[in-house]
Amino acid sequence: MEAVGDDRNGWRARLTPPAGGELLASARWRGAVAVLVGALFLIGTGADPVGAYGAVVTGALGPDGIGSTLTTGTSIIGLAVALAIPMRAGLLNLGGDGQLVLGGIAAAATGLYSPLPAPLTVVAALLAGMAAGAAYAALAAVCQNRFGVPLLVSSLLLGYPAMSFASYLARFPLKEEGSSLPQTRRLPDGVELPAFGASTVTVGLVLVAVAAAVYVFADARTATGYEIRMTGLNPRFAAYAGVDRPKLTLRLMALSGAVAGLVGAIGVLSFPYRFIDGSLTAAGHTWTGLTAALLAAAAPIGTALAALFFAALEVGGLAMERTTDVPRELTQVLQAVVIVFLAARLNLTWRRAKKKHTDAKEAKEAKEVSVR
């Protein structure tokens, strides 16, 4: 990804995803290098690389860890999809945390005060979370379209008042009486997402999977998806072809915020069935989701797979710390190595494209000289 200036829309991100075969081959050698560098770190600390990596895999995908991986993956995949939607058109939404917490607090308020039966209240809470996230994300788009505030700035800065507002509601109007924690009252009985068996995995995983599937279908099979991809690859050509960029920005930001708000609502409607100030953002899943979207160049399927990979790495890192003497921070080193090699690949791709363009231009000039 490279940031380029644009007089009308401020800073925007231009994504040029590689071909499928190139991406697969690149992922293989980048993964191998990341594992090798991680092994060197392990050897340097005196740990056994085979045992440590085995603990990561078993802790993330074993019988005792797969539930935690899927639970963590629900949030990371949902946020990755939310941030990938505008990124596909070259737009960066950095206000995911604000949209996430507004979705959560809106779901909590709806669940606490709705007069509807429990099943309908759950649906209403999910819709309220999506509406809150969508409206707030759309506000960032309005700031860019109407007032010329770059989306990067507006989306990022609007996140702070959103989190402060949600914190105020959890600490005062909706606070549980007698509790020393900044949290809302527990949702009424039955106002919760059903779980699969005795695990912590809820129907929220299915909702996130549906959102990802809709994104995959819209990206590959609809005219809107084609407009989004075309805008991300060449905004000027898209504008020449008739794409209304301000309107598209508003729609994509609203969709992005809706999915982020959905993730927040899922978090509140799952255990512990209340909104706790800071709990939705403490794990940093928004930024992990952004990393996954960047890693996959906002490609729908790649984004979901990258998010699931980071969820497994996060859960496996905890298991590695429990069973070995290796700190889980090593998993962050592995993620950093992958991102570094991704950047190197994109840079080499850009250099090859530039060289190819230069060679073609020189060949054309030489041909014209020979004809004269």
Side-chain angles (χ1 to χ4, degrees):
M1 186 192 77
E2 58 174 331
V4 294
D6 186 285
D7 294 336
R8 181 179 180 183
N9 295 313
W11 288 98
R12 58 182 168 80
R14 177 176 294 168
L15 299 174
T16 307
E22 180 186 351
L23 182 61
L24 180 60
S26 176
R28 288 174 178 173
W29 72 260
R30 282 185 291 120
V33 172
V35 170
L36 178 60
V37 172
L40 294 177
F41 275 99
L42 288 169
I43 294 173
T45 60
D48 176 21
V50 177
Y53 281 131
V56 171
V57 175
T58 303
L61 304 178
D64 296 331
I66 186 64
S68 297
T69 299
L70 293 178
T71 301
T72 303
T74 300
S75 297
I76 297 179
I77 293 173
L79 289 168
V81 170
L83 300 178
I85 290 173
M87 191 184 297
R88 194 66 161 162
L91 305 169
L92 280 181
N93 175 15
L94 297 184
D97 276 346
Q99 298 145 27
L100 174 71
V101 297
L102 281 184
I105 198 65
T110 303
L112 290 172
Y113 294 106
S114 173
L116 299 173
L120 294 180
T121 298
V122 171
V123 176
L126 292 171
L127 294 177
M130 295 177 66
Y136 205 67
L139 179 60
V142 171
C143 289
Q144 172 172 285
N145 294 339
R146 297 294 184 183
F147 307 110
V149 181
L151 189 63
L152 280 172
V153 177
S154 61
S155 62
L156 177 62
L157 295 184
L158 282 173
Y160 296 105
M163 290 185 284
S164 298
F165 177 68
S167 177
Y168 163 76
L169 293 178
R171 292 172 182 270
F172 296 101
L174 304 179
K175 187 178 184 298
E176 182 180 28
E177 295 183 2
S179 174
S180 60
L181 297 176
Q183 62 184 15
T184 66
R185 302 187 298 275
R186 190 193 186 282
L187 297 178
D189 292 338
V191 182
E192 59 188 54
L193 291 175
F196 294 101
S199 69
T200 57
V201 184
T202 68
V203 176
L205 178 62
V206 177
L207 297 177
V208 168
V210 170
V214 171
Y215 178 39
V216 172
F217 175 81
D219 181 77
R221 299 291 182 179
T222 65
T224 301
Y226 175 75
E227 290 180 356
I228 293 171
R229 296 197 310 273
M230 182 173 61
T231 302
L233 293 173
N234 196 324
R236 293 184 179 180
F237 175 78
Y240 178 78
V243 176
D244 188 342
R245 186 175 177 84
K247 184 178 180 180
L248 182 65
T249 300
L250 182 64
R251 290 163 53 193
L252 292 181
M253 286 298 294
L255 287 173
S256 176
V259 178
L262 173 65
V263 175
I266 290 172
V268 169
L269 294 171
S270 304
F271 182 82
Y273 313 112
R274 66 179 78 221
F275 180 91
I276 303 175
D277 185 26
S279 64
L280 294 177
T281 58
H285 289 165
T286 300
W287 300 105
T288 304
L290 178 62
T291 302
L294 288 170
L295 180 63
I301 296 177
T303 296
L305 293 178
L308 185 60
F309 166 73
F310 284 130
L313 204 57
E314 181 176 321
V315 175
L318 293 173
M320 181 177 66
E321 186 179 41
R322 290 194 304 266
T323 58
T324 66
D325 295 330
V326 180
R328 67 177 180 272
E329 282 75 15
L330 177 63
T331 59
Q332 299 177 359
V333 175
L334 295 178
Q335 294 180 26
V337 170
V338 171
I339 298 303
V340 166
F341 278 88
L342 172 67
R345 178 186 60 80
L346 290 177
N347 183 54
L348 290 175
T349 302
W350 175 80
R351 289 180 181 275
R352 286 196 299 267
K354 182 178 180 181
K355 185 177 184 301
K356 185 176 180 180
H357 175 74
T358 303
D359 293 343
K361 183 177 180 180
E362 292 177 351
K364 182 178 179 181
E365 292 176 350
K367 184 178 180 180
E368 291 177 351
V369 171
S370 63
V371 170
R372 293 176 183 174

XYZ file of all heavy atoms in Angstrom, residues 83-179:
675
model
N -13.136 -2.974 8.226
C -12.125 -2.025 7.763
C -11.702 -2.297 6.321
O -11.216 -1.390 5.646
C -10.911 -2.080 8.687
C -11.215 -1.741 10.158
C -9.962 -1.863 11.009
C -11.815 -0.360 10.286
N -11.883 -3.533 5.852
C -11.518 -3.853 4.475
C -12.515 -3.283 3.469
O -12.150 -3.021 2.315
C -11.415 -5.370 4.299
N -13.755 -3.094 3.877
C -14.783 -2.607 2.948
C -14.403 -1.261 2.338
O -14.367 -1.115 1.112
C -16.153 -2.553 3.658
C -16.651 -3.968 3.921
C -17.166 -1.781 2.811
C -17.908 -4.031 4.766
N -14.093 -0.220 3.131
C -13.666 1.031 2.497
C -12.249 0.949 1.936
O -11.930 1.635 0.967
C -13.750 2.049 3.637
C -13.592 1.251 4.879
C -14.226 -0.072 4.595
N -11.410 0.105 2.531
C -10.037 -0.010 2.052
C -9.990 -0.532 0.627
O -9.081 -0.209 -0.137
C -9.238 -0.941 2.974
C -7.741 -0.934 2.722
S -6.869 -2.135 3.769
C -7.214 -1.479 5.389
N -10.981 -1.321 0.247
C -11.044 -1.855 -1.118
C -11.138 -0.723 -2.141
O -10.704 -0.869 -3.289
C -12.236 -2.780 -1.244
C -12.256 -3.675 -2.473
C -11.139 -4.668 -2.455
N -11.394 -5.792 -3.345
C -10.459 -6.619 -3.777
N -9.195 -6.445 -3.417
N -10.768 -7.624 -4.567
N -11.707 0.415 -1.703
C -11.831 1.580 -2.588
C -10.747 2.612 -2.322
O -10.843 3.743 -2.795
C -13.205 2.225 -2.415
N -9.703 2.219 -1.576
C -8.611 3.140 -1.307
C -8.873 4.091 -0.156
O -8.247 5.143 -0.066
N -9.808 3.752 0.735
C -10.156 4.594 1.874
C -9.773 3.889 3.167
O -10.001 2.690 3.311
C -11.662 4.891 1.886
C -12.242 5.508 0.611
C -13.769 5.494 0.679
C -11.732 6.926 0.425
N -9.213 4.633 4.101
C -8.835 4.055 5.386
C -9.756 4.563 6.486
O -9.843 5.764 6.722
C -7.382 4.404 5.728
C -6.299 3.548 5.054
C -4.920 4.004 5.505
C -6.495 2.077 5.367
N -10.436 3.644 7.142
C -11.284 3.953 8.283
C -10.501 3.630 9.551
O -10.337 2.458 9.910
C -12.574 3.130 8.214
C -13.450 3.327 9.442
O -13.251 4.260 10.219
N -14.420 2.449 9.612
N -10.015 4.659 10.239
C -9.243 4.466 11.461
C -10.082 4.683 12.719
O -9.531 4.758 13.811
C -8.034 5.411 11.482
C -7.000 5.202 10.362
C -5.826 6.139 10.555
C -6.534 3.754 10.320
N -11.379 4.773 12.556
C -12.255 4.991 13.704
C -12.983 3.749 14.153
O -14.059 3.845 14.756
N -12.408 2.583 13.885
C -13.083 1.340 14.236
C -13.391 1.208 15.714
O -14.453 0.697 16.097
N -12.489 1.672 16.579
C -12.726 1.566 18.022
C -13.958 2.360 18.435
O -14.774 1.884 19.240
C -11.499 2.075 18.789
C -10.424 1.011 18.940
O -10.721 -0.171 18.696
O -9.290 1.367 19.292
N -14.104 3.573 17.922
C -15.261 4.383 18.268
C -16.558 3.762 17.791
O -17.561 3.722 18.521
N -16.571 3.260 16.574
C -17.767 2.613 16.033
C -18.082 1.326 16.773
O -19.253 0.975 16.987
C -17.569 2.353 14.540
C -17.385 3.626 13.726
C -16.420 3.480 12.570
O -16.239 2.377 12.034
N -15.778 4.572 12.180
N -17.032 0.626 17.208
C -17.197 -0.615 17.964
C -17.882 -0.356 19.305
O -18.863 -1.030 19.665
C -15.825 -1.252 18.178
C -15.743 -2.498 19.060
C -16.357 -3.690 18.349
C -14.283 -2.802 19.416
N -17.381 0.619 20.061
C -17.941 0.869 21.395
C -19.332 1.499 21.311
O -20.187 1.227 22.166
C -16.992 1.748 22.241
C -15.678 1.044 22.467
C -16.767 3.106 21.606
N -19.576 2.320 20.290
C -20.929 2.868 20.146
C -21.932 1.764 19.832
O -23.064 1.778 20.329
C -20.951 3.928 19.043
C -20.413 5.306 19.407
C -20.594 6.273 18.240
C -21.091 5.866 20.651
N -21.507 0.808 18.994
C -22.369 -0.337 18.736
C -22.636 -1.137 20.001
O -23.766 -1.593 20.244
N -21.603 -1.285 20.836
C -21.781 -2.034 22.072
C -22.685 -1.340 23.063
O -23.580 -1.961 23.656
N -22.488 -0.039 23.258
C -23.307 0.681 24.244
C -24.739 0.832 23.740
O -25.695 0.815 24.540
C -22.686 2.054 24.576
C -23.262 2.608 25.881
C -22.866 3.036 23.437
C -22.917 1.799 27.095
N -24.927 0.964 22.425
C -26.286 1.038 21.873
C -27.011 -0.291 22.080
O -28.205 -0.316 22.421
C -26.236 1.393 20.390
N -26.297 -1.400 21.886
C -26.899 -2.715 22.116
C -27.235 -2.899 23.588
O -28.284 -3.462 23.931
C -25.942 -3.808 21.644
N -26.359 -2.431 24.481
C -26.613 -2.564 25.914
C -27.844 -1.763 26.330
O -28.709 -2.256 27.073
C -25.388 -2.105 26.701
N -27.930 -0.518 25.858
C -29.086 0.317 26.212
C -30.385 -0.288 25.681
O -31.417 -0.305 26.367
C -28.892 1.725 25.661
N -30.326 -0.800 24.448
C -31.523 -1.420 23.867
C -31.920 -2.663 24.637
O -33.103 -2.892 24.919
C -31.265 -1.779 22.392
O -30.876 -0.609 21.676
C -32.509 -2.380 21.758
N -30.940 -3.472 24.999
C -31.238 -4.683 25.752
C -31.804 -4.404 27.131
O -32.639 -5.166 27.630
N -31.375 -3.319 27.760
C -31.839 -2.998 29.104
C -33.238 -2.400 29.126
O -34.005 -2.622 30.073
C -30.858 -2.028 29.774
C -29.493 -2.599 30.161
C -28.570 -1.491 30.629
C -29.645 -3.661 31.252
N -33.596 -1.646 28.094
C -34.845 -0.880 28.139
C -35.899 -1.325 27.127
O -37.002 -0.781 27.119
C -34.544 0.609 27.928
C -33.737 1.208 29.053
C -32.390 1.511 28.889
C -34.323 1.459 30.285
C -31.645 2.055 29.924
C -33.591 2.009 31.330
C -32.244 2.303 31.144
O -31.516 2.837 32.179
N -35.601 -2.270 26.285
C -36.575 -2.694 25.283
C -37.746 -3.424 25.938
O -37.544 -4.324 26.771
C -35.905 -3.621 24.263
O -36.876 -4.159 23.377
N -38.985 -3.078 25.569
C -40.152 -3.778 26.131
C -40.497 -5.054 25.363
O -41.457 -5.743 25.726
C -41.254 -2.726 25.983
C -40.872 -1.964 24.749
C -39.372 -1.930 24.721
N -39.748 -5.352 24.319
C -40.051 -6.497 23.473
C -39.644 -7.801 24.151
O -38.828 -7.803 25.092
C -39.306 -6.368 22.141
C -39.638 -5.140 21.293
C -38.703 -5.061 20.090
C -41.093 -5.184 20.838
N -40.181 -8.928 23.696
C -39.727 -10.228 24.211
C -38.229 -10.414 23.959
O -37.641 -9.774 23.082
C -40.558 -11.229 23.413
C -41.749 -10.461 22.949
C -41.277 -9.054 22.741
N -37.619 -11.306 24.727
C -36.166 -11.481 24.693
C -35.620 -11.734 23.281
O -34.650 -11.089 22.872
C -35.751 -12.602 25.637
N -36.196 -12.659 22.493
C -35.629 -12.898 21.149
C -35.671 -11.650 20.265
O -34.708 -11.363 19.543
C -36.513 -14.017 20.585
C -37.069 -14.705 21.784
C -37.272 -13.626 22.790
N -36.790 -10.917 20.334
C -36.894 -9.706 19.523
C -35.975 -8.610 20.059
O -35.460 -7.789 19.283
C -38.338 -9.208 19.503
C -39.351 -10.117 18.806
C -40.748 -9.516 18.865
C -38.933 -10.360 17.359
N -35.758 -8.604 21.355
C -34.836 -7.627 21.937
C -33.412 -7.869 21.460
O -32.657 -6.913 21.212
C -34.887 -7.689 23.473
O -36.213 -7.353 23.914
C -33.893 -6.723 24.096
N -33.027 -9.130 21.323
C -31.696 -9.451 20.802
C -31.541 -8.906 19.389
O -30.524 -8.281 19.051
C -31.466 -10.977 20.820
C -30.168 -11.331 20.081
C -31.399 -11.489 22.249
N -32.561 -9.130 18.561
C -32.514 -8.615 17.186
C -32.459 -7.088 17.190
O -31.678 -6.475 16.449
C -33.737 -9.109 16.382
C -33.740 -8.488 14.987
C -33.725 -10.628 16.285
N -33.265 -6.475 18.034
C -33.274 -5.010 18.112
C -31.934 -4.472 18.592
O -31.456 -3.438 18.101
C -34.390 -4.547 19.053
N -31.308 -5.171 19.533
C -30.001 -4.733 20.037
C -28.941 -4.823 18.948
O -28.086 -3.930 18.816
C -29.597 -5.576 21.243
N -28.974 -5.892 18.155
C -28.021 -6.028 17.048
C -28.216 -4.918 16.023
O -27.250 -4.306 15.544
C -28.176 -7.397 16.383
C -27.749 -8.619 17.214
C -28.157 -9.898 16.512
C -26.241 -8.600 17.450
N -29.475 -4.643 15.689
C -29.765 -3.586 14.718
C -29.378 -2.213 15.257
O -28.883 -1.363 14.517
C -31.248 -3.623 14.343
C -31.725 -4.867 13.580
C -33.227 -4.790 13.339
C -30.977 -5.006 12.251
N -29.599 -2.003 16.561
C -29.228 -0.719 17.165
C -27.717 -0.527 17.134
O -27.227 0.582 16.861
C -29.738 -0.657 18.602
N -26.975 -1.592 17.401
C -25.523 -1.508 17.336
C -25.037 -1.190 15.935
O -24.135 -0.357 15.753
N -25.634 -1.831 14.940
C -25.252 -1.565 13.560
C -25.603 -0.146 13.159
O -24.810 0.529 12.484
C -25.943 -2.573 12.630
C -25.510 -4.015 12.828
S -26.420 -5.181 11.776
C -25.856 -4.665 10.149
N -26.780 0.326 13.571
C -27.203 1.684 13.208
C -26.288 2.724 13.839
O -25.912 3.715 13.195
C -28.647 1.909 13.642
N -25.903 2.512 15.108
C -25.032 3.469 15.782
C -23.665 3.531 15.114
O -23.119 4.616 14.867
C -24.885 3.085 17.259
N -23.100 2.365 14.808
C -21.801 2.336 14.141
C -21.855 2.943 12.755
O -20.946 3.690 12.351
N -22.921 2.644 12.008
C -23.056 3.173 10.652
C -23.191 4.689 10.656
O -22.556 5.390 9.855
C -24.261 2.537 9.965
N -24.024 5.227 11.557
C -24.242 6.673 11.603
C -22.952 7.406 11.969
O -22.638 8.453 11.395
C -25.346 6.996 12.606
N -22.194 6.850 12.901
C -20.990 7.546 13.339
C -19.894 7.479 12.283
O -19.153 8.434 12.083
C -20.499 6.964 14.657
C -19.685 7.952 15.463
C -20.287 9.080 16.002
C -18.328 7.770 15.674
C -19.566 10.000 16.737
C -17.597 8.678 16.403
C -18.213 9.795 16.930
O -17.491 10.710 17.642
N -19.798 6.345 11.594
C -18.812 6.245 10.516
C -19.190 7.155 9.357
O -18.318 7.758 8.715
C -18.701 4.797 10.045
N -20.484 7.252 9.075
C -20.933 8.146 8.005
C -20.604 9.594 8.328
O -20.356 10.404 7.424
C -22.435 7.983 7.789
N -20.577 9.944 9.621
C -20.229 11.311 10.017
C -18.801 11.659 9.579
O -18.539 12.791 9.155
C -20.369 11.459 11.531
C -20.028 12.828 12.122
C -20.927 13.905 11.527
C -20.169 12.797 13.641
N -17.889 10.685 9.665
C -16.519 10.921 9.199
C -16.495 11.188 7.700
O -15.745 12.042 7.214
C -15.633 9.721 9.546
N -17.333 10.461 6.951
C -17.411 10.692 5.508
C -17.980 12.067 5.196
O -17.533 12.744 4.266
C -18.267 9.602 4.855
N -18.965 12.493 5.984
C -19.539 13.827 5.786
C -18.490 14.905 6.046
O -18.419 15.914 5.324
C -20.764 14.024 6.700
C -21.236 15.478 6.669
C -21.890 13.091 6.286
N -17.661 14.698 7.059
C -16.607 15.673 7.361
C -15.650 15.820 6.181
O -15.164 16.928 5.899
C -15.836 15.240 8.607
S -16.765 15.408 10.147
N -15.407 14.716 5.469
C -14.535 14.802 4.299
C -15.260 15.420 3.113
O -14.734 16.325 2.458
C -14.011 13.421 3.907
C -13.249 13.429 2.580
C -12.570 12.109 2.271
O -11.557 11.779 2.857
N -13.142 11.361 1.332
N -16.473 14.946 2.843
C -17.186 15.400 1.654
C -17.619 16.862 1.742
O -17.583 17.591 0.740
C -18.414 14.515 1.418
C -18.044 13.086 1.074
O -16.925 12.804 0.625
N -18.971 12.161 1.282
N -18.046 17.296 2.929
C -18.601 18.642 3.079
C -17.581 19.678 3.530
O -17.646 20.838 3.140
C -19.758 18.605 4.089
C -20.930 17.755 3.647
C -21.622 18.349 2.429
N -22.807 17.582 2.061
C -23.549 17.858 1.001
N -23.228 18.886 0.214
N -24.603 17.110 0.710
N -16.645 19.241 4.382
C -15.747 20.216 4.999
C -14.284 20.009 4.624
O -13.416 20.753 5.090
C -15.894 20.168 6.528
C -17.311 20.310 6.996
C -17.981 19.239 7.564
C -17.990 21.514 6.845
C -19.293 19.360 7.985
C -19.303 21.643 7.262
C -19.963 20.568 7.837
N -14.009 19.016 3.800
C -12.649 18.806 3.322
C -11.697 18.221 4.342
O -10.476 18.252 4.139
N -12.205 17.670 5.453
C -11.338 17.031 6.446
C -10.965 15.650 5.931
O -11.853 14.836 5.656
C -12.040 16.915 7.806
C -11.102 16.278 8.836
C -12.519 18.275 8.280
N -9.687 15.339 5.773
C -9.300 14.020 5.251
C -9.900 12.901 6.087
O -9.992 12.999 7.323
C -7.769 14.031 5.348
C -7.405 15.481 5.310
C -8.512 16.202 6.020
N -10.300 11.844 5.422
C -10.965 10.732 6.094
C -10.081 10.114 7.169
O -10.568 9.689 8.222
C -11.372 9.669 5.068
C -12.260 8.539 5.584
C -13.596 9.079 6.068
C -12.480 7.505 4.485
N -8.789 10.044 6.901
C -7.863 9.514 7.900
C -7.980 10.285 9.215
O -8.014 9.697 10.300
C -6.420 9.595 7.389
C -5.943 8.507 6.427
C -4.570 8.856 5.889
C -5.912 7.164 7.113
N -8.040 11.605 9.102
C -8.091 12.451 10.292
C -9.469 12.396 10.943
O -9.596 12.203 12.161
C -7.723 13.906 9.928
C -7.851 14.817 11.136
C -6.319 13.968 9.351
N -10.507 12.557 10.144
C -11.860 12.613 10.708
C -12.248 11.298 11.378
O -12.796 11.292 12.488
C -12.878 12.967 9.616
O -12.883 11.992 8.587
N -11.961 10.174 10.730
C -12.343 8.889 11.310
C -11.565 8.603 12.586
O -12.115 8.094 13.571
C -12.133 7.760 10.293
O -10.764 7.650 9.928
N -10.275 8.939 12.597
C -9.453 8.677 13.778
C -9.875 9.552 14.951
O -10.083 9.067 16.073
C -7.976 8.908 13.448
C -6.988 8.730 14.608
C -7.028 7.293 15.111
C -5.579 9.107 14.164
N -10.023 10.855 14.722
C -10.319 11.766 15.816
C -11.742 11.610 16.339
O -11.999 11.845 17.531
C -10.077 13.206 15.372
C -8.619 13.561 15.031
C -8.484 15.033 14.710
C -7.685 13.188 16.185
N -12.671 11.211 15.485
C -14.037 11.013 15.956
C -14.152 9.802 16.879
O -15.142 9.677 17.618
C -14.987 10.846 14.771
C -15.384 12.128 14.035
C -16.183 11.807 12.784
C -16.182 13.042 14.958
N -13.167 8.935 16.844
C -13.218 7.765 17.707
C -13.095 8.110 19.182
O -13.705 7.452 20.040
N -12.354 9.153 19.514
C -12.121 9.490 20.921
C -13.377 9.995 21.625
O -13.691 9.536 22.733
C -10.980 10.500 21.026
C -9.658 9.926 20.548
C -9.122 10.282 19.317
C -8.974 9.011 21.327
C -7.928 9.746 18.865
C -7.765 8.461 20.891
C -7.242 8.831 19.657
O -6.074 8.286 19.218
N -14.124 10.938 21.060
C -15.369 11.331 21.738
C -16.378 10.193 21.821
O -17.158 10.129 22.779
C -15.898 12.493 20.884
C -15.182 12.407 19.587
C -13.856 11.797 19.884
N -16.377 9.290 20.850
C -17.292 8.146 20.910
C -16.966 7.260 22.107
O -17.870 6.843 22.856
C -17.209 7.344 19.617
N -15.688 6.971 22.304
C -15.296 6.138 23.443
C -15.548 6.849 24.761
O -15.949 6.218 25.753
C -13.829 5.733 23.302
C -13.576 4.737 22.173
S -11.876 4.141 22.071
C -11.075 5.568 21.323
N -15.349 8.161 24.794
C -15.611 8.917 26.015
C -17.102 8.937 26.334
O -17.510 8.821 27.511
C -15.088 10.348 25.860
O -13.685 10.350 25.668
N -17.940 9.073 25.319
C -19.390 9.076 25.525
C -19.874 7.729 26.046
O -20.680 7.662 26.985
C -20.097 9.433 24.219
C -21.591 9.403 24.297
C -22.276 10.332 25.067
C -22.312 8.446 23.609
C -23.665 10.302 25.160
C -23.698 8.407 23.685
C -24.372 9.336 24.470
N -19.365 6.651 25.449
C -19.739 5.318 25.911
C -19.266 5.092 27.344
O -19.969 4.476 28.160
C -19.150 4.254 24.984
N -18.077 5.590 27.668
C -17.557 5.470 29.027
C -18.453 6.217 30.024
O -18.725 5.730 31.132
C -16.123 6.011 29.091
O -15.622 5.974 30.409
N -18.910 7.400 29.636
C -19.795 8.177 30.506
C -21.095 7.410 30.786
O -21.558 7.341 31.938
C -20.107 9.524 29.857
C -21.298 10.226 30.458
C -21.200 10.871 31.687
C -22.522 10.222 29.789
C -22.304 11.499 32.254
C -23.625 10.851 30.338
C -23.512 11.478 31.570
O -24.611 12.083 32.123
N -21.681 6.826 29.740
C -22.927 6.090 29.928
C -22.730 4.886 30.835
O -23.603 4.558 31.660
C -23.478 5.642 28.568
C -23.955 6.748 27.622
C -24.429 6.149 26.308
C -25.056 7.582 28.261
N -21.596 4.199 30.688
C -21.341 3.016 31.508
C -21.030 3.371 32.957
O -21.270 2.566 33.866
C -20.185 2.214 30.916
N -20.522 4.568 33.185
C -20.131 4.976 34.538
C -21.235 5.704 35.301
O -21.187 5.774 36.539
C -18.895 5.883 34.468
C -17.627 5.173 34.024
C -16.494 6.143 33.797
N -15.289 5.462 33.321
C -14.345 4.969 34.123
N -14.463 5.116 35.435
N -13.297 4.359 33.634
N -22.231 6.235 34.569
C -23.239 7.031 35.261
C -24.672 6.573 34.945
O -25.252 5.835 35.743
C -23.036 8.519 34.951
C -21.720 9.043 35.485
C -20.634 9.224 34.645
C -21.575 9.337 36.837
C -19.426 9.692 35.142
C -20.374 9.799 37.342
C -19.293 9.976 36.496
N -25.283 6.937 33.802
C -26.703 6.603 33.620
C -27.002 5.099 33.626
O -28.030 4.682 34.172
C -27.035 7.225 32.255
C -25.997 8.244 32.018
C -24.767 7.729 32.666
N -26.122 4.300 33.026
C -26.390 2.862 32.901
C -25.605 2.021 33.894
O -25.667 0.794 33.837
C -26.062 2.391 31.475
C -26.774 3.109 30.333
C -26.339 2.543 28.987
C -28.294 2.981 30.490
N -24.896 2.642 34.805
C -24.009 1.918 35.719
C -24.791 1.003 36.656
O -25.870 1.357 37.143
C -23.174 2.891 36.544
C -22.105 2.221 37.400
C -21.282 3.264 38.153
C -20.139 2.609 38.932
N -20.639 1.669 39.966
N -24.219 -0.160 36.924
C -24.824 -1.088 37.872
C -24.626 -0.555 39.290
O -23.499 -0.308 39.730
C -24.175 -2.470 37.726
C -24.773 -3.515 38.638
C -24.119 -4.859 38.467
O -22.931 -4.904 38.076
O -24.790 -5.876 38.722
N -25.702 -0.420 40.012
C -25.631 0.123 41.366
C -24.877 -0.836 42.282
O -25.086 -2.048 42.259
C -27.039 0.366 41.904
C -27.810 1.441 41.153
C -29.162 1.687 41.762
O -29.473 1.053 42.790
O -29.912 2.504 41.198
N -24.004 -0.269 43.095
C -23.249 -1.074 44.043
C -21.995 -1.690 43.489
O -21.219 -2.304 44.229
N -21.764 -1.544 42.200
C -20.569 -2.124 41.588
C -19.449 -1.091 41.573
O -19.682 0.092 41.317
C -20.869 -2.585 40.160
O -19.685 -3.022 39.516
